[in-house]
Amino acid sequence: MKNRPLFLIGVLAAALLGLVMVAKIPGAAAATLVVDNDGLQCPLAGYTSINAALLDASPGDTIMVCAGTYPEDVVINIVSLTLRGAQAGFPTGARMFMGASESTVQGLITVQAANVTIDGFSLTNSLTNLAQNNGILVKTAGNTAFITNNIISAVGSLTLASNAQGIYLENGPDDVRIVANDISKIQSFPSAKGIYIGDTTATNASQNVLISGNSITNITSGDRGAYGIQVNNRAGQPGLVISNNTIDTLTGLGSLGRGWAHAIGLEGDTLDVLVVGNDISNIFDLVPNPMFGPDAIAVFFEDNPSFGTARVNQNNFDVTPLVAYGIAVHPALIMAFPNSIVDGTCNWWGDRNGPGPMGPGAGAKVSSNVDFNPWLIARAPAGACVGGASAPAKVTGGGQIPGDDPLFSPLGDLLSVPALIPSLADPNAQATFGFVAKCCPATGNLEYNDHQADVRIKAQSIDGPVIRSQRPGDSCPTIPGSKHATIGGRATVISSTGTETEDFTVEVDDCGEPGTADRFGIKTESYSNGWPIPSTLTGGNIQIKN
């Protein structure tokens, strides 16, 4: 049993308790069926292949697949079935693809029933089907599929004549969740995609799809497009959320003018799509069009009449400055809908001064019909969304009489009595703060002290502030005249582990007088308090003026 995963020990224990069934009684309660390809990992398993277990499975059952290699194509047409690999529930980052502790399927898994879960597998090309072009295929009937903790790698090849996809939602499955998978080395001669929703002729839209926390890397197309995530459906697809994914190294090889690389291609109608918190890097069109130049884009809108409803925020565009685009809208869409604007605010463009050349900075490019101001002045999540601030503004906070600024020494130490807010390290403890930030030009100071956590933050520079009215979901949207402000900059962060220089963001709410409803939150690269929802002051006041 040495070095065997705890999961397998649990499987053996279940087998010894008689929970493994070779055949099921019709009408029996949901059961667990155990599969072991060679009988070494789970000696009492009732099946040696996944397909054999599927023949006995009923709705609601779980098929537990012990570590080993399974060279078979699997078609799941049983509702509410759970397919659990040996690494079910374990994050992919600490695992080895096709390692000894993995349940490896060499072949295609197809979902043709609702409410199916696939958790904890390695998946790769079939040894016999050289034309395999998908890792997991979810067909129309696969509503509410949950695909998680899988490593999908080496699907397709550069000689493959059809498009290759790691995960493919075909013609309209709804409410699908694709979460925390590792997808890599997807290749084909035409387009290759990490995750693909729909196709160019589909009329059944996939609604309410969540794609979150996945790593998508090394996607290569020999003569067309390399995509991290592509949506391509003629029917509208509401409810799509693409969040907190890492997309890295997409390469369109291509002949002259035919290759491209789009990290997130929203190339079908995506009403109210939310693209937030993604890290995108290294996207390459190696044979640019001689007329239009490189076609390397982090977030691209094409054939998408709802692009003006999109929110693209808090993403990191670590792509080639002034060559690759952070956000781009196809010229045909701009001509058809000239008044539609993508909300592309609060993104990191790779440069503190924002995107270019249409923008003022030297970061990733941006097309027209994208609202990019304000932008993050450092990478998310620590970077403050204060880039481009130009309006006169003043924000102060601390334990002083309303309207007075906190007092600082020439060295930046807070001298006045500060306000008090709860500390996340200990809700019963106290953190003290005082700050002033003005524009324009941006000047000010800040000191913050979390006594319980022994963390002290002193501003080195101040950026912003950016002020806006309260919105639904903010702390005090119904109070007349209430405002929200964001302040950023660089700070010295002093803690028990040492002293670092880090980016910081402060979010504050001025909910009117006497200040009892005002809120304060702070975040650096290593610390946060009152984040993402600012904490209500236990004393003091916030003043926001513009």
Side-chain angles (χ1 to χ4, degrees):
M1 203 68 70
K2 185 177 180 181
N3 296 325
R4 185 166 293 170
L6 293 177
F7 168 81
L8 299 180
I9 297 174
V11 170
L12 287 174
L16 293 173
L17 289 172
L19 297 180
V20 178
M21 300 182 64
V22 176
K24 287 189 60 183
I25 300 173
T32 297
L33 292 76
V34 179
V35 179
D36 187 356
N37 66 326
D38 56 13
L40 297 178
Q41 302 294 327
C42 308
L44 299 183
Y47 307 89
T48 58
S49 73
I50 300 171
N51 280 303
L54 280 168
L55 291 174
D56 274 348
S58 299
D61 284 353
T62 296
I63 296 177
M64 302 177 71
V65 183
C66 298
T69 301
Y70 299 85
E72 52 184 317
D73 290 333
V74 176
V75 178
I76 301 174
N77 53 20
I78 301 167
V79 298
S80 301
L81 184 91
T82 297
L83 190 64
R84 290 174 57 88
Q87 296 295 321
F90 286 87
T92 60
R95 292 159 47 191
M96 179 181 296
F97 174 61
M98 296 184 67
S101 298
E102 293 286 324
S103 304
T104 299
V105 175
Q106 291 179 321
L108 169 65
I109 295 180
T110 301
V111 178
Q112 296 190 142
N115 199 34
V116 168
T117 296
I118 302 172
D119 185 352
F121 288 87
S122 282
L123 297 104
T124 191
N125 270 352
S126 166
L127 295 179
T128 56
N129 179 11
L130 300 181
Q132 180 181 343
N133 63 341
N134 295 295
I136 297 176
L137 171 62
V138 183
K139 298 183 81 69
T140 306
N143 295 333
T144 64
F146 183 33
I147 302 170
T148 187
N149 300 318
N150 301 290
I151 304 175
I152 303 172
S153 187
V155 173
S157 69
L158 286 178
T159 60
L160 182 67
S162 59
N163 296 337
Q165 292 86 209
I167 298 173
Y168 180 18
L169 308 189
E170 182 186 63
N171 200 22
D174 298 328
D175 303 303
V176 175
R177 293 173 295 158
I178 303 172
V179 179
N181 302 280
D182 188 309
I183 303 170
S184 66
K185 299 179 182 177
I186 311 299
Q187 299 181 332
S188 61
F189 186 71
S191 292
K193 306 137 186 176
I195 298 172
Y196 184 39
I197 303 176
D199 55 68
T200 55
T201 60
T203 57
N204 184 8
S206 286
Q207 301 185 42
N208 302 318
V209 173
L210 173 65
I211 302 174
S212 184
N214 303 282
S215 173
I216 303 173
T217 60
N218 293 300
I219 313 297
T220 307
S221 167
D223 195 50
R224 295 287 182 175
Y227 292 89
I229 299 166
Q230 187 190 17
V231 180
N232 189 5
N233 193 311
R234 297 304 181 194
Q237 301 187 81
L240 175 62
V241 176
I242 301 173
S243 64
N244 302 314
N245 302 283
T246 298
I247 303 175
D248 179 62
T249 311
L250 311 180
T251 306
L253 298 174
S255 55
L256 188 62
R258 290 172 60 93
W260 61 88
H262 299 164
I264 299 175
L266 302 175
E267 300 171 13
D269 197 7
T270 56
L271 180 68
D272 294 323
V273 64
L274 178 62
V275 180
V276 60
N278 302 282
D279 292 334
I280 298 173
S281 56
N282 298 315
I283 51 177
F284 305 110
D285 172 11
L286 295 187
V287 187
N289 186 295
M291 182 177 297
F292 302 106
D295 190 353
I297 304 171
V299 181
F300 184 48
F301 294 87
E302 181 181 7
D303 199 16
N304 191 339
S306 299
F307 75 93
T309 68
R311 290 176 292 162
V312 184
N313 315 119
Q314 292 290 326
N315 302 283
N316 292 318
F317 302 138
D318 293 311
V319 299
T320 308
L322 301 179
V323 173
Y325 281 87
I327 306 174
V329 180
H330 194 282
L333 277 180
I334 295 172
M335 290 183 63
F337 304 96
N339 296 321
S340 292
I341 305 294
V342 175
D343 178 358
T345 58
C346 299
N347 293 293
W348 168 244
W349 297 82
D351 182 78
R352 190 177 184 86
N353 295 313
M358 286 189 60
K365 295 170 69 175
V366 63
S367 78
S368 62
N369 290 62
V370 177
D371 179 11
F372 56 82
N373 191 342
W375 58 84
L376 300 181
I377 59 171
R379 298 183 80 256
C385 186
V386 295
S390 59
K394 179 179 179 181
V395 184
T396 62
Q400 299 304 293
I401 297 171
D404 289 347
D405 295 347
L407 300 178
F408 293 89
S409 75
L411 297 178
D413 294 315
L414 182 65
L415 300 177
S416 58
V417 179
L420 306 176
I421 64 172
S423 165
L424 293 186
D426 180 353
N428 297 317
Q430 295 176 341
T432 59
F433 74 93
F435 69 90
V436 57
K438 301 177 183 180
C439 186
C440 294
T443 60
N445 215 325
L446 173 141
E447 183 176 331
Y448 170 89
N449 195 340
D450 185 331
H451 305 281
Q452 179 70 21
D454 192 22
V455 174
R456 187 181 181 192
I457 301 169
K458 294 181 62 176
Q460 297 178 352
S461 63
I462 293 287
D463 289 283
V466 169
I467 296 173
R468 61 169 172 80
S469 298
Q470 291 277 312
R471 301 170 179 169
D474 285 346
S475 302
C476 44
T478 62
I479 299 175
S482 59
K483 297 177 181 178
H484 179 92
T486 302
I487 305 162
R490 297 281 284 172
T492 301
V493 181
I494 306 167
S495 68
S496 58
T497 60
T499 300
E500 301 289 342
T501 299
E502 301 180 5
D503 295 300
F504 77 87
T505 300
V506 165
E507 303 280 357
V508 294
D509 292 303
D510 179 358
C511 299
E513 302 310 321
T516 53
D518 292 352
R519 289 175 172 256
F520 175 95
I522 188 169
K523 182 178 181 64
T524 73
E525 297 167 47
S526 62
Y527 172 87
S528 67
N529 188 359
W531 199 273
I533 301 174
S535 299
T536 304
L537 306 187
T538 59
N541 191 273
I542 303 292
Q543 291 278 301
I544 299 176
K545 299 178 181 180
N546 58 354

